Amino acid sequence: GSSVHAHALSQQGEHAHPMGRRGHGVGQPGLAVAQCVADISAAEFVSLDLEFSGLFLWPEGGQRPLTLGEYFRRCAESVPCFLPLQLGICCVCRREDGQGWELRAHEFDLWPQHRQIFSADLQSLRFLREHGFDFNAFFERGKQYARLPPPDAAKCTKGQPLPPASCILQAIREARVPLLVHNGFLDLLHLFDKFIGGLPDSLEEFAQIWTAQFPVLYDTRHLAQEGRYNVLKHAGGLSLEALHQHLRPLTRVHADLRHTGLRPDSFAHGSSGRDAVLTAEVFLMEVELWVRHWVSAASARKRRRMEREEDLRQSLEALDWQGTGWT
């Protein structure tokens, strides 16, 4: 797809994100961010999703498959040129009655704190608009972000105000809760580039820095790929929508989910908030099926061991070994 360049001018003040459907209602300044930070601190895990102004500087790519290192370098070359336009967060904790899970979803349009020239892929923008992305809301209500201070400087800078969206990432870094993404390599690279620092030269260095600050990560697409046939019994696609549709009738966990705050139907179809909720739900359903698989496999191993022991006992009885004496 063709690309255009645009200027992103930092806002002069923070605008509240609506507590409800896009374009409906006005919240107090900072209230939505403060609630999100509180939900992160109480969460057992957090799912993330981003929408971008584009993916790659050269979308057509090459003719041969790339190695993992080559793919990282291709991504690292493109990521600094594009913007994350929207951040979806879903905080998941156990319900107080112990009967299931509570999901608290948040969605924020993002706006760089400082003036920035960036690239935009017209196909990506068209895709976002077709799936309900509100560009007027993006310009009017975007939350500013900037890079966080290094972890070892956090004590020295404590008390200094951070841009609203940076407060969210700071809360996740401090909570050290497991993070969930779906096919989220680009999401991780954008979060690193926009909130942590410049992307390193190698995948190994990136992984080392990332895991030092966000130690536990699950990718629901990877979990599905690993257990696609023998665990999930799934021969279809691995998109978020396809997995959610396939797993829902196979599991019981979805019946005990409680959504508080923004519900999935509050978001535009394909928005980051909705995808963050779907990622959390898919993860819970995948875990249920993986646990069932492990329990079933353990039972099968125990059954086979008992069968072998019984075969051995019968073989020894046929030999009448206890009645055999030496002469």
Side-chain angles (χ1 to χ4, degrees):
S2 58
S3 295
V4 298
H5 286 79
H7 286 80
L9 302 179
S10 63
Q11 292 176 296
Q12 299 303 313
E14 181 185 348
H15 297 277
H17 191 278
M19 295 297 290
R21 292 180 181 271
R22 285 180 169 276
H24 290 75
V26 178
Q28 298 178 13
L31 180 61
V33 171
Q35 183 61 61
C36 182
V37 169
D39 289 345
I40 290 169
S41 66
E44 295 193 32
F45 54 87
V46 174
S47 61
L48 300 168
D49 185 75
L50 288 171
E51 302 295 344
F52 315 117
S53 66
L55 302 180
F56 297 103
L57 291 174
W58 297 277
E60 64 277 1
Q63 298 299 318
R64 65 176 181 84
L66 300 177
T67 66
L68 190 57
E70 290 172 335
Y71 182 69
F72 171 78
R73 288 190 290 274
R74 182 190 179 209
C75 293
E77 184 179 9
S78 297
V79 163
C81 300
F82 295 99
L83 287 185
L85 305 180
Q86 191 179 76
L87 170 66
I89 300 275
C90 184
C91 305
V92 185
C93 61
R94 295 185 188 275
R95 285 166 44 179
E96 293 183 359
D97 58 12
Q99 299 302 310
W101 297 90
E102 183 174 343
L103 283 69
R104 300 181 179 183
H106 305 268
E107 183 179 273
F108 303 97
D109 295 311
L110 300 178
W111 193 257
Q113 185 180 37
H114 305 292
R115 176 172 178 165
Q116 184 174 342
I117 297 176
F118 65 96
S119 296
D121 188 320
L122 291 178
Q123 286 191 1
S124 295
L125 300 184
R126 186 180 297 116
F127 173 85
L128 291 175
R129 188 67 196 100
E130 289 173 353
H131 288 80
F133 188 90
D134 189 340
F135 284 95
N136 289 330
F138 165 73
F139 285 108
E140 294 171 1
R141 307 187 185 112
K143 300 295 185 185
Q144 295 181 8
Y145 67 85
R147 286 177 177 172
L148 300 172
D152 54 4
K155 292 183 179 179
C156 300
T157 57
K158 195 167 186 178
Q160 296 182 9
L162 291 172
S166 299
C167 293
I168 297 171
L169 265 292
Q170 176 74 355
I172 295 174
R173 186 168 72 174
E174 291 179 350
R176 299 180 73 82
V177 292
L179 297 182
L180 313 178
V181 294
H182 182 82
N183 199 23
F185 191 53
L186 279 175
D187 299 75
L188 302 183
L189 293 179
H190 271 281
L191 290 172
F192 192 106
D193 180 65
K194 274 59 179 187
F195 292 92
I196 306 300
L199 289 170
D201 295 330
S202 69
L203 177 61
E204 293 75 16
E205 187 180 357
F206 165 76
Q208 183 179 11
I209 299 173
W210 177 270
T211 54
Q213 301 187 48
F214 307 96
V216 183
L217 173 71
Y218 296 97
D219 191 309
T220 51
R221 191 185 191 281
H222 180 71
L223 289 175
Q225 181 68 54
E226 289 295 303
R228 187 172 191 172
Y229 302 112
N230 60 337
V231 178
L232 307 187
K233 315 298 183 186
H234 182 49
L238 297 181
S239 70
L240 193 56
E241 294 275 1
L243 283 173
H244 193 273
Q245 183 177 3
H246 171 75
L247 296 176
R248 186 175 175 85
L250 301 180
T251 57
R252 296 186 295 269
V253 67
H254 64 83
D256 297 319
L257 299 180
R258 176 185 296 165
H259 296 273
T260 58
L262 297 178
R263 296 184 55 81
D265 55 8
S266 299
F267 303 111
H269 181 77
S271 72
S272 62
R274 183 174 182 273
D275 285 351
V277 173
L278 292 183
T279 298
E281 292 185 0
V282 165
F283 176 75
L284 290 170
M285 291 188 284
E286 286 178 336
V287 168
E288 179 181 332
L289 293 180
W290 271 102
V291 170
R292 279 196 222 164
H293 173 74
W294 290 328
V295 171
S296 176
S299 299
R301 287 194 297 270
K302 182 178 180 180
R303 185 171 59 252
R304 288 194 297 269
R305 184 176 68 251
M306 294 177 65
E307 290 172 352
R308 288 195 299 269
E309 291 174 352
E310 179 63 20
D311 290 342
L312 178 60
R313 186 187 65 79
Q314 292 179 4
S315 298
L316 292 175
E317 286 182 350
L319 294 174
D320 192 24
W321 65 276
Q322 289 181 328
T324 301
W326 295 95
T327 58

